[in-house]
Amino acid sequence: MIKVATDWKDYRIIATGDGQKLEKWGKLVLLRPDPQIIWKSHKALENNKSINARYIRSKSGGGVWEFKGSVPENFVIERKGLKFSLKLMGFKHTGLFPEQAVNWDIMQKLVEQSGRQIKVLNLFAYTGGATVACAKVGANVTHVDAAKAMVDRAKSNAALSEIPSDRIRYIVDDCNKFIAREIRRGNKYDAIVMDPPSYGRGANGEVWKLEECIFDLVKECVKVLSDKPLFFLINSYTTGLQPQVIDNLLRLCLKDFTGESQAYEVGLPTDEGLILPCGCSGLWVGKRR
């Protein structure tokens, strides 16, 4: 099953092929690589005259942006009242994953229908897409990421989206260490969302490999759930990791709670009439008592 992010007016995929996607972000047209695009293009996308910038991968790793027109340092896009300040970053990123709008809609609906004040913990929270989405509909969110620059950008996105300043708590920290402290403090949350990286290194050389570390982290996170948890959402962009694996993690770790889980791919529509897969999610939803 795949859930497709729709209702974007400031973002679209114009064309795909030859390992690349031609996208429009607001007024900017970008050409970026995508490993899921294994089909050929009818015509060379790099020859499109409207391109403002193209990301070119290096054979030694990483890559560089090649500018073909005027590109502002920051640019803003909007969806359903949520605004995001973006920029061209390293490793082809812009600071937002538009396919996650699927999950923003789901979380917002769950928060609104809960009929109570919801505390959300967003781990590996990046620039705050999920944070802003949940806070916009009234949730109190704790936003945790180890990169200060990303947390600062999340603050800007919240301000752009007119989120009250007291609705989000920002934490610059390692997620594992933060969870350990919250367990000791006895702090509880009604919902948890996480978007862990496939691989990473901590400030003291700690190695994070999703396949080896995610199960233990989820087990620890369960310890900070309230007595009536609303949802637990895990996103993954790890190549080869099937949605059912995430579903199994949630079922095993949340077996002592009453709820239902599902797993699905997330994707984006293209102007060609295709659906581009963009990772997967596992969602556990608590049953009302």
Side-chain angles (χ1 to χ4, degrees):
M1 177 175 62
I2 187 165
K3 293 180 183 281
V4 182
T6 57
D7 297 323
W8 275 107
K9 294 181 180 179
D10 286 349
Y11 174 83
R12 55 186 258 253
I13 299 177
I14 302 167
T16 61
D18 302 313
Q20 302 179 100
K21 56 187 174 185
L22 186 66
E23 310 162 289
K24 191 166 187 182
W25 297 77
K27 296 180 180 180
L28 288 180
V29 176
L30 306 179
L31 183 62
R32 298 192 296 161
D34 191 307
Q36 297 288 348
I37 301 171
I38 62 172
W39 49 91
K40 300 293 184 182
S41 175
H42 294 299
K43 53 185 178 181
L45 299 182
E46 58 267 24
N47 293 336
N48 188 295
K49 294 182 180 180
S50 63
I51 293 174
N52 297 101
R54 174 191 180 193
Y55 189 83
I56 303 175
R57 285 195 181 279
S58 169
K59 293 182 179 179
S60 59
V64 295
W65 284 100
E66 177 185 84
F67 297 98
K68 296 190 173 184
S70 176
V71 177
E73 182 177 354
N74 295 281
F75 53 99
V76 175
I77 67 171
E78 179 179 359
R79 180 183 183 271
K80 294 184 176 181
L82 305 181
K83 295 181 180 180
F84 303 97
S85 175
L86 311 180
K87 66 180 295 185
L88 302 188
M89 303 180 181
F91 299 102
K92 76 177 182 179
H93 296 307
T94 63
L96 190 71
F97 295 94
E99 63 274 7
Q100 284 300 320
V102 160
N103 288 321
W104 302 343
D105 290 344
I106 292 171
M107 290 185 289
Q108 286 188 324
K109 185 176 181 179
L110 289 170
V111 170
E112 289 179 314
Q113 291 181 343
S114 69
R116 56 191 171 102
Q117 185 61 55
I118 298 298
K119 289 178 62 180
V120 177
L121 175 60
N122 188 6
L123 299 173
F124 308 98
Y126 196 47
T127 59
T131 294
V132 171
C134 290
K136 189 70 174 180
V137 292
N140 291 319
V141 185
T142 296
H143 176 108
V144 186
D145 197 282
K148 184 179 183 300
M150 296 302 102
V151 173
D152 288 342
R153 190 156 286 271
K155 292 179 181 179
S156 296
N157 291 335
L160 279 172
S161 299
E162 300 180 342
I163 307 295
S165 59
D166 61 351
R167 201 171 285 174
I168 303 173
R169 180 170 65 127
Y170 300 96
I171 307 291
V172 179
D173 200 359
D174 174 88
C175 291
N176 285 283
K177 294 177 181 177
F178 176 79
I179 286 296
R181 287 201 306 276
E182 291 295 87
I183 292 171
R184 292 195 297 269
R185 293 166 178 158
N187 288 335
K188 299 291 183 179
Y189 299 88
D190 304 299
I192 297 175
V193 54
M194 63 170 67
D195 194 347
S198 299
Y199 179 85
R201 283 189 178 274
N204 297 317
E206 307 96 331
V207 176
W208 165 275
K209 291 183 179 179
L210 186 136
E211 298 91 335
E212 298 175 5
C213 303
I214 186 65
F215 181 72
D216 288 338
L217 175 59
V218 174
K219 281 180 62 179
E220 291 301 290
C221 286
V222 168
K223 297 177 183 178
V224 301
L225 283 174
S226 66
D227 293 336
K228 297 179 180 179
L230 182 62
F231 66 81
F232 200 126
L233 174 67
I234 303 175
N235 297 308
S236 173
Y237 290 91
T238 300
T239 303
L241 189 68
Q242 299 298 315
Q244 188 60 48
V245 174
I246 303 298
D247 185 67
N248 291 344
L249 282 176
L250 290 169
R251 288 174 183 268
L252 289 168
C253 294
L254 289 156
K255 58 184 176 59
D256 294 331
F257 292 90
T258 302
E260 295 181 348
S261 65
Q262 61 175 308
Y264 45 89
E265 288 184 275
V266 293
L268 289 164
T270 78
D271 288 359
E272 308 151 308
L274 304 176
I275 301 298
L276 181 63
C278 306
C280 66
S281 298
L283 174 66
W284 179 94
V285 178
K287 287 188 176 179
R288 292 186 179 183
R289 301 179 192 178

